[in-house]
Amino acid sequence: MQQKREQWSSKIGFIMAAAGSAIGLGNLWKFPYIVGTNGGAVFLIIYIIFLILLGIPILLAEMAIGRSAGKNAVDSCKTINPKFGFVGGIGILGAFLVLSGYGVVGGWVIKYIFKSFSYDNFTSDFFNEYISKPFEPVIWTFIFMALNVLIVTGGVSKGIERVSTVLLPLLLIFLFGLMIYSVTLPGAVDGIKYFLVPDFSGINSFSDISKIAINAMGQVFFSLSLGMGTLITYGSYLPKKSDLVSNTIMVVTLDTAIAIISGFTIIPAVFSFGLEVTGGPGLIFQTLPAVFMNIKGGSFISAIFFTLVLFAAITSAISLLEVIVSWFSDKTGLSRTISSVIAGGAAFLIGIAASLSFGTLSGIKILGMNIFDFLNHAADKVVMPIGGFLMCILVGYIWGIKPASDEISNGGSLRFRLKPLFAAAMKFIAPVLIIIIFISSLF
Ligand code: PHE
């Protein structure tokens, strides 16, 4: 007899958990520095266009697959068509890659919670020195991963939902306050302009455009947790009567709001303190301490802030781990606990190499990138878009728009106004766009 699948205990619980998966380091850490290294407002515009053409339809498609089949990512895809289990499989590989790199940055965040109390001797070189150390960052990465394993072991509604429901609203309020502070700093106006007023003077060739496009597409996938079965897995725990469209819109809106607020917090501060907006992955770790040092009681604010960032990172990391564990434990019959330990442990081992690639292993280059950059690149510019592309083919051509729309509209009992966009996106726009951007990025 089949066991009844666990379900989310409430609508808001699901939204919080799905938004919790989406909102994470992708919004708080990655978005501001990707905006910074891709020319500011021009990137923002392309990002928003891709959000509508790729993000919303693919997110909806994944949720529909998951809820229709009610199984893990691989088996859900198999239920749609027995030959398509590999689409979920690609997702699991992707989740693995992302999780390994995520653990490293999660470890930096924990370090910064404690570092908050000694900013008096802070220089922005501290970050580069710290991440190149051989031991300490690895230990924090281990702790980050262990926390995730503990939560995932606790089960779906008990663990994930409870953490997300409390912490997301807190993060939103706190970040908003910080943004207000940041945009009123002296010289912040230049940052606001950089973020909002497009400057095309930096775009001189086709390769400039294709670089921005591939980064924007990768960021849409990364930030919304797309193309890797996360939403299939979460959707599989959704009750049959829930409204997939409104869930999708809520998740996309929350995710985008947090990314933009984070941009408004970091970028004006970067300009105000005369730092480099193109600083890359260290951007928030170099900018925020400067902000906090400037505020009375900044140490405490810093500690609270990085703690909230940590929680946002954890609610994303558990969704990555959940994708792997849900498949692995269904497949092997091993318990959740053992499956979580194995998956988390394996991701940690790769995480060690990624962490060391800033120091001891910095000589190792794959396609010209260090191990950390390579993992990131492979995940959001290769595996996730391929996963997204296959998701479109699966829904647009194999499952079919009609059955998919029936699932989305709960058998016709809800109005599905976005159906024309959804159909066009699944069958043509998204797959074609993904292919063009993907191929142009190879040159
Ligand atoms: N969306 C998460 C973030 O923005 C990362 C993530 C990617 C989580 C893929 C799950 C799946 O941080």
Side-chain angles (χ1 to χ4, degrees), residues 354-391:
S355 178
L356 294 180
S357 71
F358 292 104
T360 323
L361 299 182
S362 61
I364 300 180
K365 297 271 192 263
I366 312 169
L367 301 175
M369 293 171 264
N370 71 19
I371 299 170
F372 178 87
D373 290 339
F374 176 76
L375 281 176
N376 263 318
H377 180 91
D380 68 12
K381 300 202 188 71
V382 182
V383 178
M384 298 173 105
I386 291 178
F389 174 80
L390 291 168
M391 230 57 100

Side-chain angles (χ1 to χ4, degrees), residues 99-116:
L99 186 59
S100 311
Y102 222 78
V104 175
V105 184
W108 298 346
V109 173
I110 305 183
K111 168 71 187 178
Y112 269 66
I113 296 176
F114 295 102
K115 179 73 190 161
S116 296

Side-chain angles (χ1 to χ4, degrees), residues 21-22 24-27 98 102 222-223 225 228 230 316 319-320 384:
S21 163
L25 297 172
N27 312 58
V98 176
Y102 222 78
F222 189 89
S223 192
S225 311
M228 48 186 31
T230 317
S316 299
S319 77
L320 290 161
M384 298 173 105

Side-chain angles (χ1 to χ4, degrees), residues 71-98:
K71 303 192 180 123
N72 67 56
V74 176
D75 291 330
S76 287
C77 293
K78 270 194 193 152
T79 307
I80 306 283
N81 182 304
K83 291 207 187 86
F84 270 72
F86 77 99
V87 179
I90 290 178
I92 288 167
L93 169 72
F96 209 78
L97 294 174
V98 176

